[in-house]
Amino acid sequence: MNHNPQSSDGKHDDDSALSDFLASLMDYAPTIPDELVEHYLAKSGFQCPDVRLIRLVAVATQKFVAEVASDALQHCKARQAAVVKDKREKQQKVIYLCLLSFLISFGLSDPLLEQDKRLILTMDDLSKSLREVGIEISTLPLYISLHVLVSITK
Amino acid sequence: MRKSRSKRKSNIHLQQPTTNPRDFQFMITKVAVSQICKSVGFRRSRVSALETLTLVATKYLETLVKSAASFSNAASRTQSNILDLTNALHDMSLQVGFMGASTLYDHNNCLLKSSALESLSDFVSSTNEIPFAKPIERAKERESEEVNAVPGSFQERGGHIPEWLPRFPDVGDTNENCDKRVNGEQLWENSSLVLGCQIDGFEEKRCGSNNVGKLPKGRSRIKFRVNNGGGTRVGLNVISCNNVFGQSKDEEEAEPVAVCEKSVKSEEKQILVYKRRKKRCQFL
């Protein structure tokens, strides 16, 4: 029974850390509002008088969505880096460097890097990142419509 | 559905007013999810991708909460606590993985020390607060109206009954009408088999005729007289009984000698012996 006082101390530390965390939760306003979370809790049969647990659930969901979104962002950036690499190989490097210096003198950024501002969340990136979490999403392939086909052939 | 939509809050507008409550929650959740995506770094998104992510977030929340509720129910509790929530969080994060997942159910493992909770606290401390962008129409006013409308409220029923359960049905008056059933059925304790005098309220479906179970009010003394002649067998059949009795041509007192009750299978008539005897005398 020698480990008992140590374990009780450990439990006190854990309890204090957890209570600190729960107290900090009350200061942190999760993005998902409390009323919405309470609605979903009532819908699923979760009864809890403690407000901190509602915040905990909201924070857990927010963390999950943030992880999925950041994974999708990584996929998006990786794809754009591959595209940028191809483009830079095709261009002549001399002309490109002149243009870059010209633009930088005016205070503008590299035009090829502007694609960062156009980071778009697409179904491809989302399905890849959700597959890592265990959710399989299948989308119908996009078909070119008849009108577009007709205009292309003409 | 393929067009991009900007994440800036000024451009998000609800095209149609949502009257369906399910759509309303979905719209709110979509705004919250798009705010999270913007904080991660996205500037635009496809509408279909945003709706898919919103659906996934909704289902994640519901699944997390449902498993927490079932954990608490398994421990014979109705209200969940942080331990139930921690277990549910572990269940949801097993695919992604977290530290200590292999030793989850060891005998000396403390739930409160779980790394899932630690990662949540790190997330809270590290990320900036993102308040919800749009003001939500306060549903609490609606709820308070509903609470006032429900008569079976907290004060009346006591705190042990949750408010979201419907109220008790009206017990109504304790009249005699409550005791009477639809087709005139009655409890067997109240039937004439036991009481012997009540004819009302018979279950006519069960009996073939109206006379089953009827006993005369008073039973008189029964005398049996067996004659040697005739060769008739004494049976339980009423007719043979009557033959036995009927062979004595003596004029007997007109008292009900026997009333034999028939089995249910045969036809049942209430037979008064002295009446038959008169008839039999004609045949013999």
Side-chain angles (χ1 to χ4, degrees):
Chain A
M1 306 292 276
N2 288 330
H3 62 274
N4 258 355
Q6 292 174 7
S7 65
S8 63
D9 286 343
K11 277 182 187 170
H12 285 316
D13 289 340
D14 296 326
D15 287 346
S16 62
L18 198 59
S19 51
D20 289 341
F21 166 50
L22 291 176
S24 69
L25 263 186
M26 291 315 292
D27 295 332
Y28 185 87
T31 310
I32 307 174
D34 277 347
E35 293 90 3
L36 187 66
V37 177
E38 277 176 12
H39 166 265
Y40 282 119
L41 296 188
K43 190 178 166 194
S44 311
F46 183 90
Q47 265 183 295
C48 184
D50 201 354
V51 187
R52 298 175 298 176
L53 286 188
I54 299 174
R55 294 262 167 122
L56 190 68
V57 169
V59 163
T61 315
Q62 184 178 346
K63 178 167 176 284
F64 171 77
V65 173
E67 280 177 0
V68 168
S70 63
D71 277 350
L73 193 72
Q74 303 290 331
H75 287 300
C76 190
K77 282 187 178 171
R79 189 190 304 169
Q80 283 182 356
V83 167
V84 164
K85 254 192 210 171
D86 292 339
K87 280 193 178 174
R88 282 192 180 162
E89 282 170 6
K90 285 178 187 175
Q91 282 177 353
Q92 293 182 13
K93 283 189 180 177
V94 177
I95 300 173
Y96 175 69
L97 285 171
C98 290
L99 185 64
L100 194 59
S101 56
F102 180 69
L103 284 172
I104 286 171
S105 63
F106 277 99
L108 297 172
S109 62
D110 188 359
L112 292 173
L113 291 178
E114 275 179 5
Q115 291 178 7
D116 285 346
K117 290 180 189 171
R118 291 193 284 119
L119 286 169
I120 304 176
L121 173 67
T122 56
M123 278 303 291
D124 287 339
D125 300 331
L126 190 63
S127 63
K128 280 181 196 166
S129 54
L130 281 175
R131 192 170 294 137
E132 290 170 22
V133 190
I135 300 169
E136 189 70 36
I137 294 199
S138 57
T139 50
L140 292 175
L142 299 174
Y143 294 105
I144 304 175
S145 68
L146 271 179
H147 300 288
V148 176
L149 264 178
V150 165
S151 60
I152 287 174
T153 50
K154 279 184 181 175
Chain B
M1 288 291 274
R2 279 190 273 140
K3 59 176 193 239
S4 303
R5 274 178 58 198
S6 173
K7 284 274 174 31
R8 280 166 291 174
K9 288 308 127 195
S10 56
N11 288 351
I12 289 184
H13 57 280
L14 308 174
Q15 276 93 7
Q16 68 276 12
T18 51
T19 50
N20 201 358
R22 218 177 299 156
D23 292 341
F24 182 62
Q25 295 127 26
F26 192 73
M27 289 292 185
I28 299 177
T29 321
K30 200 158 50 166
V31 172
V33 164
S34 59
Q35 274 185 278
I36 297 173
C37 290
K38 183 183 174 186
S39 75
V40 167
F42 280 108
R43 287 289 163 263
R44 288 166 180 254
S45 106
R46 304 257 189 225
V47 174
S48 55
L50 185 63
E51 291 190 348
T52 310
L53 190 55
T54 311
L55 194 66
V56 165
T58 310
K59 292 212 179 289
Y60 179 85
L61 196 142
E62 285 181 3
T63 312
L64 181 69
V65 152
K66 264 186 208 174
S67 45
S70 61
F71 267 111
S72 66
N73 289 338
S76 60
R77 278 181 278 117
T78 52
Q79 293 192 339
S80 313
N81 58 14
I82 184 141
L83 299 173
D84 300 326
L85 205 50
T86 311
N87 274 325
L89 207 55
H90 286 166
D91 277 358
M92 299 297 291
S93 331
L94 280 175
Q95 184 90 16
V96 179
F98 56 95
M99 213 164 62
S102 57
T103 56
L104 258 186
Y105 299 113
D106 279 356
H107 61 279
N108 55 355
N109 186 47
C110 178
L111 260 183
L112 295 176
K113 266 195 278 187
S114 89
S115 60
L117 287 181
E118 278 178 23
S119 61
L120 272 186
S121 67
D122 291 340
F123 178 78
V124 166
S125 51
S126 62
T127 55
N128 298 326
E129 204 174 297
I130 314 165
F132 191 68
K134 301 242 167 176
I136 303 176
E137 185 184 326
R138 288 284 140 182
K140 284 179 186 172
E141 292 162 357
R142 278 187 246 151
E143 279 173 19
S144 63
E145 283 170 14
E146 284 177 26
V147 165
N148 290 334
V150 171
S153 65
F154 177 77
Q155 287 81 24
E156 288 180 23
R157 299 193 291 198
H160 60 284
I161 301 175
E163 277 184 57
W164 45 267
L165 284 175
R167 34 189 284 247
F168 285 115
D170 276 338
V171 176
D173 311 323
T174 53
N175 290 336
E176 291 177 0
N177 292 329
C178 294
D179 295 332
K180 290 191 180 171
R181 300 197 183 182
V182 176
N183 292 324
E185 299 163 352
Q186 254 198 1
L187 294 175
W188 70 273
E189 294 102 2
N190 302 332
S191 69
S192 69
L193 280 172
V194 177
L195 296 176
C197 52
Q198 284 185 7
I199 303 176
D200 295 335
F202 248 108
E203 286 187 283
E204 291 186 352
K205 290 179 186 175
R206 287 191 186 171
C207 56
S209 66
N210 290 332
N211 293 334
V212 171
K214 259 192 200 173
L215 282 182
K217 291 187 181 179
R219 285 200 184 196
S220 52
R221 279 164 42 192
I222 298 174
K223 291 180 184 176
F224 290 93
R225 215 183 288 165
V226 179
N227 283 337
N228 288 329
T232 55
R233 278 180 291 158
V234 179
L236 291 176
N237 212 343
V238 176
I239 299 173
S240 56
C241 283
N242 278 336
N243 280 337
V244 169
F245 299 134
Q247 281 178 3
S248 62
K249 291 182 184 175
D250 302 328
E251 290 295 328
E252 293 183 358
E253 296 170 0
E255 57 177 28
V257 175
V259 174
C260 298
E261 283 190 8
K262 289 202 142 199
S263 61
V264 187
K265 294 176 190 173
S266 56
E267 274 187 28
E268 291 152 9
K269 295 177 186 175
Q270 193 163 28
I271 296 155
L272 295 172
V273 175
Y274 61 90
K275 277 186 182 172
R276 274 244 172 145
R277 206 178 287 147
K278 285 178 187 174
K279 289 180 185 175
R280 293 282 169 200
C281 290
Q282 297 169 9
F283 291 110
L284 288 171

